[in-house]
Amino acid sequence: MADGVASYGLVEDAAIAVSSGRIQWIGPHRDLPPDHADWPIIDFADRLITPGLIDPHTHAIFGGNRAVEFEMRLNGATYEEIARAGGGILSTVTATRAASMQDLIQEALPRIDALLAEGVTCIELKSGYGLDQDTELRMLRAAREIAKQRPVRVQTSFLGAHAVPPEFTGRADAYIDTVCIPTLRAAHAEGLVDAVDGFCEGIAFDTTQIARVFDAARDLGLPVKLHAEQLSNLGGARLAASYGALSADHVEYVDAAGVAAMTEAGTTAVLLPGAFYTLRETQVPPIDLFRKAGVPMALATDCNPGSSPLTSLLLAMNMGCTLFGMTPAEALAGVTRNAARALGLADAGSIAPGQRADLAVWDVSHPAELVYRIGFNPLHARIFGGEV
């Protein structure tokens, strides 16, 4: 490898011993223990091996698309005009409610496959486009089924507190109490929920409403995360941290008090440059403040039909550097080690004994190449559970 690789923690001329889907040993090949010396060998030559990539924030299960709205915006239509024409998130809710579980799976699989083709071995999938009990449960069941149809680890997040559905316009509190929380309990009883998410913003729910959802999550023993401080600062990051949240996501407008709360709680900042790019935002997340405060930074695609129709984690890494000022080493950590933290996964995101043998093998000479190129996929092989 070239100079400047120390920050990546690379092992030169490495060997990785794998058994039963777990890493048993890693180190220089010359130090391979004798009891591993006669194991079958796959030689990847002088290629780079990283942990399998992790996408810790996606909305990849939904019905329909919003390409026409994208064109309308480019032609000058405002968000309000698009909403009055039946567009916006509610158009996705309508399409998702009309879709069967099989429809949702078949529409999502091409998006999942695009991520897997770039070395992704773990993906988070949210509900949140149903906003009624039947559809929210159907989305979560579809997420569980995707893990059976593709070699990928799926973590589910219940996002019932995503938006106020049209039948509850002006009655957000009633929606939280009569639909969102009961649906969360039903989903948990069915084993469909790994974490609970919400959208804390002026166009969605306030901190008091989100707190009621988080109280229900805590009663069920479920971890929480939050869309916070994307468009304004309502104190969402501090709220999330007060519940020991796994992550606060977007966080463009988080302030020093929010960052301090995240530091104390060990909450990861999940950065979503795809939405920043698509919405042409100008408020950049406080990267230097996160660094100084020791807040781990993860990166994700935020794959969704409206604000981030992105299915390339490699491009999200590039955007994290070019738009937000992250370093290539931070970007790589953001889709491996820190992405695992954002999902509460202790057995993923690094190459170490005991970790899952989920790996990506790259045709590159330096780790920075994964971030530097645009629209180029250097993946040589993807290893999931020890299987190439």
Side-chain angles (χ1 to χ4, degrees):
M1 290 288 176
D3 291 340
V5 297
S7 60
Y8 296 93
L10 290 179
V11 177
E12 298 283 356
D13 190 29
I16 304 172
V18 173
S19 177
S20 301
R22 296 276 171 175
I23 297 170
Q24 306 298 318
W25 182 89
I26 177 175
H29 190 271
R30 63 179 179 275
D31 296 336
L32 188 68
D35 56 333
H36 298 329
D38 60 350
W39 287 17
I41 294 175
I42 301 175
D43 187 357
F44 288 116
D46 194 30
R47 294 183 173 92
L48 173 70
I49 301 178
T50 69
L53 304 190
I54 298 171
D55 193 343
H57 182 128
T58 86
H59 307 253
I61 296 177
F62 55 85
N65 70 75
R66 280 148 66 183
V68 172
E69 295 175 31
F70 173 73
E71 185 174 37
M72 290 172 67
R73 284 200 306 271
L74 293 177
N75 286 326
T78 66
Y79 180 86
E80 290 76 16
E81 289 168 341
I82 291 171
R84 284 197 299 270
I89 188 173
L90 296 183
S91 68
T92 299
V93 171
T94 299
T96 303
R97 286 179 175 181
S100 68
M101 189 175 90
Q102 195 56 36
D103 291 336
L104 293 176
I105 292 168
Q106 291 306 310
E107 288 191 47
L109 283 177
R111 297 186 277 270
I112 303 299
D113 289 342
L115 291 165
L116 269 56
E118 289 190 347
V120 171
T121 55
C122 179
I123 182 172
E124 186 249 23
L125 294 172
K126 303 181 190 292
S127 68
Y129 288 125
L131 309 182
D132 62 29
Q133 182 160 312
D134 287 347
T135 314
E136 290 290 301
L137 294 178
R138 188 157 66 247
M139 291 182 71
L140 292 168
R141 292 176 190 134
R144 291 288 194 230
E145 182 62 27
I146 283 171
K148 299 175 184 177
Q149 295 194 19
R150 292 293 188 271
V152 64
R153 188 178 189 179
V154 169
Q155 294 293 114
T156 59
S157 294
F158 173 76
L159 183 55
H162 192 195
V164 180
E167 62 269 26
F168 280 87
T169 299
R171 297 187 299 131
D173 286 309
Y175 169 73
I176 290 292
D177 294 333
T178 65
V179 177
C180 181
I181 292 175
T183 301
L184 167 58
R185 291 177 178 141
H188 175 261
E190 200 174 321
L192 298 175
V193 185
D194 296 318
V196 176
D197 199 350
F199 187 19
C200 185
E201 194 56 72
I203 60 174
F205 299 97
D206 62 31
T207 53
T208 301
Q209 291 158 344
I210 294 294
R212 294 210 299 278
V213 178
F214 282 3
D215 285 341
R218 184 164 55 189
D219 290 343
L220 296 171
L222 292 169
V224 300
K225 58 182 64 181
L226 187 64
H227 292 60
E229 273 77 90
Q230 179 185 7
L231 306 173
S232 63
N233 188 341
L234 297 185
R238 279 174 289 164
L239 173 72
S242 73
Y243 282 85
L246 294 173
S247 68
D249 301 26
H250 288 289
V251 290
E252 282 93 332
Y253 284 84
V254 69
D255 57 16
V259 173
M262 292 172 67
T263 302
E264 184 175 354
T267 298
T268 298
V270 177
L271 309 180
L272 306 172
F276 177 91
Y277 168 85
T278 301
L279 298 176
R280 293 186 284 188
E281 295 291 339
T282 57
Q283 179 78 20
V284 176
I287 302 297
D288 284 338
L289 194 55
F290 289 142
R291 286 183 185 129
K292 292 173 183 176
V295 173
M297 293 181 287
L299 278 166
T301 62
D302 192 17
C303 173
N304 74 70
S307 64
S308 186
L310 174 63
T311 54
S312 171
L313 198 53
L314 292 177
L315 181 55
M317 293 166 68
N318 176 274
M319 288 179 169
C321 293
T322 57
L323 299 179
F324 291 169
M326 299 176 74
T327 68
E330 287 172 334
L332 183 55
V335 297
T336 53
R337 180 176 66 250
N338 291 340
R341 284 181 56 113
L343 295 179
L345 301 177
D347 63 348
S350 63
I351 303 177
Q355 297 288 88
R356 284 175 57 97
D358 297 341
L359 306 166
V361 185
W362 307 94
D363 281 315
V364 301
S365 60
H366 191 288
E369 289 184 54
L370 299 179
V371 181
Y372 150 75
R373 297 184 186 275
I374 302 173
F376 179 78
N377 182 3
L379 186 73
H380 173 77
R382 178 180 170 279
I383 301 170
F384 182 72
E387 298 292 329
V388 181

Coordinates of all heavy atoms in Angstrom, one line a residue, residues 223-275:
P223 N -34.3 0.1 21.5 CA -33.5 1.3 21.4 C -34.1 2.3 20.4 O -35.0 1.9 19.6 CB -32.2 0.7 20.8 CG -32.6 -0.5 20.0 CD -33.7 -1.1 20.8
V224 N -33.7 3.5 20.5 CA -34.3 4.6 19.7 C -33.2 5.3 18.9 O -32.0 5.2 19.2 CB -35.1 5.6 20.6 CG1 -36.2 4.9 21.3 CG2 -34.2 6.3 21.5
K225 N -33.7 6.0 17.9 CA -32.9 6.9 17.1 C -33.8 8.0 16.6 O -35.1 7.9 16.7 CB -32.3 6.1 15.9 CG -33.3 5.4 15.0 CD -32.7 4.6 13.9 CE -31.9 3.5 14.4 NZ -31.2 2.7 13.3
L226 N -33.3 9.0 16.0 CA -34.2 10.1 15.6 C -33.6 10.9 14.4 O -32.5 11.2 14.4 CB -34.3 11.1 16.8 CG -35.3 12.2 16.7 CD1 -36.7 11.7 16.6 CD2 -35.2 13.1 17.9
H227 N -34.6 11.2 13.5 CA -34.3 12.3 12.5 C -34.4 13.6 13.3 O -35.4 14.0 13.7 CB -35.4 12.3 11.4 CG -35.5 11.1 10.5 ND1 -35.7 9.8 11.0 CD2 -35.4 11.1 9.2 CE1 -35.7 9.0 9.9 NE2 -35.5 9.8 8.8
A228 N -33.2 14.3 13.4 CA -33.2 15.5 14.2 C -32.4 16.6 13.6 O -31.4 16.4 12.9 CB -32.5 15.1 15.6
E229 N -32.9 17.8 13.8 CA -32.2 19.0 13.3 C -31.8 19.0 11.9 O -30.7 19.4 11.5 CB -30.9 19.2 14.2 CG -31.2 20.0 15.5 CD -31.8 19.2 16.6 OE1 -31.1 18.6 17.4 OE2 -33.1 19.2 16.6
Q230 N -32.7 18.5 11.0 CA -32.4 18.5 9.6 C -32.7 19.9 9.0 O -31.9 20.4 8.2 CB -33.3 17.5 8.8 CG -33.0 17.5 7.3 CD -33.9 16.6 6.5 OE1 -34.8 16.0 7.1 NE2 -33.7 16.4 5.3
L231 N -33.8 20.5 9.3 CA -34.2 21.8 8.7 C -34.2 22.9 9.7 O -34.3 24.1 9.3 CB -35.6 21.6 8.1 CG -35.8 20.5 7.1 CD1 -37.2 20.3 6.7 CD2 -34.9 20.7 5.9
S232 N -34.2 22.6 11.0 CA -34.2 23.6 12.1 C -33.7 22.9 13.3 O -33.4 21.7 13.3 CB -35.6 24.1 12.3 OG -36.5 23.1 12.7
N233 N -33.7 23.7 14.4 CA -33.2 23.1 15.7 C -34.4 23.1 16.7 O -34.7 24.2 17.3 CB -32.0 23.9 16.3 CG -31.4 23.2 17.5 OD1 -32.0 22.4 18.1 ND2 -30.2 23.5 17.8
L234 N -35.0 22.0 16.9 CA -36.1 21.9 17.9 C -35.6 21.2 19.1 O -36.4 20.9 20.0 CB -37.2 21.1 17.3 CG -38.0 21.7 16.1 CD1 -39.2 20.8 15.7 CD2 -38.4 23.1 16.3
G235 N -34.3 20.9 19.2 CA -33.8 20.2 20.4 C -34.0 18.7 20.3 O -33.9 17.9 21.3
G236 N -34.1 18.2 19.1 CA -34.3 16.7 18.9 C -33.1 15.9 19.3 O -33.2 14.8 19.8
A237 N -31.9 16.4 19.0 CA -30.7 15.7 19.3 C -30.5 15.5 20.9 O -30.2 14.5 21.4 CB -29.4 16.4 18.8
R238 N -30.9 16.6 21.6 CA -30.8 16.5 23.0 C -31.9 15.5 23.6 O -31.6 14.8 24.5 CB -31.0 17.9 23.7 CG -29.8 18.8 23.7 CD -30.1 20.2 24.2 NE -30.8 20.9 23.2 CZ -31.5 22.0 23.4 NH1 -31.5 22.5 24.7 NH2 -32.1 22.7 22.5
L239 N -33.1 15.6 23.0 CA -34.1 14.6 23.3 C -33.6 13.2 23.1 O -33.8 12.3 24.0 CB -35.4 14.9 22.6 CG -36.5 13.8 22.8 CD1 -37.1 14.0 24.1 CD2 -37.5 14.0 21.7
A240 N -33.1 12.9 21.9 CA -32.6 11.6 21.6 C -31.6 11.1 22.6 O -31.6 10.0 23.1 CB -32.1 11.6 20.2
A241 N -30.6 12.0 22.9 CA -29.5 11.7 23.8 C -30.1 11.4 25.2 O -29.6 10.5 25.9 CB -28.5 12.8 23.8
S242 N -31.1 12.1 25.6 CA -31.7 11.8 26.9 C -32.3 10.5 27.0 O -32.5 9.9 28.2 CB -32.8 12.9 27.2 OG -34.0 12.7 26.5
Y243 N -32.6 9.8 25.9 CA -33.1 8.4 25.9 C -32.0 7.4 25.5 O -32.3 6.3 25.3 CB -34.3 8.3 24.9 CG -35.6 8.8 25.4 CD1 -35.9 10.2 25.3 CD2 -36.5 8.0 26.0 CE1 -37.1 10.7 25.7 CE2 -37.7 8.5 26.5 CZ -38.0 9.8 26.3 OH -39.2 10.3 26.8
G244 N -30.7 7.9 25.5 CA -29.6 7.0 25.2 C -29.7 6.6 23.8 O -29.3 5.4 23.5
A245 N -30.1 7.4 22.8 CA -30.4 7.0 21.5 C -29.1 6.4 20.8 O -28.0 6.9 21.0 CB -30.9 8.2 20.6
L246 N -29.3 5.4 19.9 CA -28.2 4.9 19.1 C -27.7 6.0 18.2 O -26.4 6.1 18.1 CB -28.7 3.8 18.3 CG -29.1 2.5 19.0 CD1 -29.8 1.5 18.0 CD2 -28.0 1.9 19.7
S247 N -28.6 6.8 17.6 CA -28.1 7.8 16.7 C -29.1 9.0 16.6 O -30.2 8.9 16.9 CB -27.9 7.2 15.3 OG -29.2 6.9 14.7
A248 N -28.5 10.1 16.2 CA -29.3 11.3 15.8 C -28.9 11.5 14.3 O -27.7 11.6 14.0 CB -29.0 12.5 16.6
D249 N -29.9 11.6 13.4 CA -29.6 11.5 12.0 C -29.9 12.9 11.3 O -30.9 13.5 11.7 CB -30.4 10.4 11.3 CG -30.0 9.0 12.0 OD1 -29.6 9.0 13.1 OD2 -30.2 8.0 11.3
H250 N -29.2 13.2 10.3 CA -29.2 14.5 9.6 C -28.3 15.5 10.4 O -27.3 15.8 9.9 CB -30.6 15.0 9.4 CG -31.4 14.3 8.4 ND1 -31.1 14.4 7.0 CD2 -32.5 13.5 8.5 CE1 -32.0 13.6 6.3 NE2 -32.8 13.0 7.2
V251 N -28.9 16.1 11.4 CA -28.2 17.0 12.4 C -27.4 18.1 11.8 O -26.4 18.6 12.3 CB -27.3 16.2 13.4 CG1 -28.1 15.3 14.3 CG2 -26.3 15.3 12.6
E252 N -27.9 18.7 10.7 CA -27.3 19.8 10.1 C -27.4 21.0 11.0 O -26.5 21.9 11.1 CB -28.0 20.2 8.7 CG -27.5 19.3 7.6 CD -28.4 18.1 7.4 OE1 -29.0 17.6 8.3 OE2 -28.5 17.7 6.2
Y253 N -28.5 21.2 11.8 CA -28.7 22.4 12.6 C -28.4 22.1 14.1 O -28.8 22.9 14.9 CB -30.1 22.9 12.4 CG -30.3 23.6 11.1 CD1 -30.6 22.9 9.9 CD2 -30.2 25.0 11.0 CE1 -30.8 23.6 8.7 CE2 -30.4 25.7 9.8 CZ -30.7 24.9 8.7 OH -30.9 25.6 7.5
V254 N -27.8 21.0 14.4 CA -27.6 20.7 15.8 C -26.6 21.8 16.4 O -25.7 22.2 15.7 CB -27.0 19.3 16.0 CG1 -25.6 19.2 15.5 CG2 -27.0 18.9 17.5
D255 N -26.8 22.2 17.7 CA -26.0 23.2 18.3 C -25.0 22.5 19.3 O -25.0 21.3 19.5 CB -26.8 24.2 19.0 CG -27.8 23.7 20.0 OD1 -27.6 22.5 20.4 OD2 -28.7 24.4 20.4
A256 N -24.2 23.4 19.9 CA -23.2 22.8 20.9 C -23.8 22.0 22.0 O -23.3 21.0 22.4 CB -22.3 24.0 21.4
A257 N -25.0 22.5 22.5 CA -25.6 21.8 23.6 C -26.1 20.4 23.1 O -26.0 19.4 23.9 CB -26.8 22.6 24.1
G258 N -26.6 20.3 21.9 CA -27.0 19.0 21.3 C -25.8 18.1 21.2 O -25.9 16.9 21.5
V259 N -24.7 18.6 20.7 CA -23.5 17.8 20.5 C -23.0 17.3 21.8 O -22.6 16.2 22.0 CB -22.4 18.6 19.7 CG1 -21.1 17.8 19.7 CG2 -22.9 18.9 18.3
A260 N -23.0 18.2 22.8 CA -22.5 17.8 24.2 C -23.4 16.7 24.7 O -22.9 15.7 25.3 CB -22.5 19.0 25.1
A261 N -24.7 16.8 24.5 CA -25.6 15.7 25.0 C -25.3 14.4 24.2 O -25.4 13.3 24.9 CB -27.1 16.1 24.8
M262 N -25.1 14.5 22.9 CA -24.7 13.3 22.2 C -23.5 12.6 22.7 O -23.4 11.4 22.8 CB -24.6 13.6 20.7 CG -26.0 14.0 20.0 SD -25.8 14.6 18.4 CE -25.2 13.2 17.5
T263 N -22.5 13.5 23.0 CA -21.2 13.0 23.5 C -21.4 12.2 24.8 O -20.9 11.1 25.0 CB -20.2 14.1 23.7 OG1 -20.0 14.8 22.5 CG2 -18.9 13.6 24.3
E264 N -22.2 12.8 25.7 CA -22.4 12.2 27.0 C -23.2 10.9 26.9 O -22.9 9.9 27.6 CB -23.2 13.1 27.9 CG -23.4 12.6 29.3 CD -24.0 13.6 30.2 OE1 -24.2 14.8 29.8 OE2 -24.3 13.3 31.4
A265 N -24.1 10.8 25.9 CA -24.9 9.6 25.8 C -24.3 8.6 24.9 O -24.8 7.4 24.8 CB -26.3 10.0 25.2
G266 N -23.2 8.9 24.2 CA -22.6 8.0 23.2 C -23.4 7.8 22.0 O -23.4 6.8 21.3
T267 N -24.2 8.8 21.6 CA -25.0 8.8 20.4 C -24.2 9.1 19.2 O -23.5 10.1 19.2 CB -26.2 9.8 20.6 OG1 -27.0 9.4 21.8 CG2 -27.1 9.9 19.4
T268 N -24.4 8.3 18.2 CA -23.7 8.5 16.9 C -24.4 9.5 16.0 O -25.7 9.5 16.0 CB -23.6 7.2 16.2 OG1 -22.8 6.3 16.9 CG2 -22.9 7.3 14.8
A269 N -23.7 10.4 15.3 CA -24.3 11.3 14.3 C -24.3 10.6 13.0 O -23.2 10.2 12.5 CB -23.4 12.6 14.2
V270 N -25.5 10.3 12.4 CA -25.6 9.7 11.1 C -25.8 10.8 10.1 O -26.8 11.5 10.1 CB -26.7 8.7 11.0 CG1 -26.8 8.2 9.6 CG2 -26.5 7.6 12.0
L271 N -24.8 11.0 9.2 CA -24.8 12.1 8.2 C -25.4 11.6 6.9 O -25.1 10.5 6.5 CB -23.4 12.7 8.0 CG -22.7 13.0 9.4 CD1 -21.3 13.6 9.1 CD2 -23.5 14.0 10.2
L272 N -26.2 12.4 6.3 CA -27.0 12.0 5.1 C -26.8 13.0 4.0 O -27.7 13.8 3.7 CB -28.5 11.9 5.5 CG -28.7 10.9 6.7 CD1 -30.2 11.0 7.1 CD2 -28.3 9.5 6.3
P273 N -25.6 13.0 3.3 CA -25.4 14.0 2.3 C -26.2 13.9 1.0 O -26.4 14.8 0.3 CB -23.9 13.7 1.9 CG -23.7 12.3 2.3 CD -24.5 12.1 3.5
G274 N -26.9 12.7 0.8 CA -27.8 12.6 -0.3 C -28.9 13.5 -0.3 O -29.3 14.2 -1.2
A275 N -29.5 13.6 0.9 CA -30.6 14.6 1.1 C -30.2 16.0 1.1 O -30.9 16.9 0.5 CB -31.3 14.3 2.5

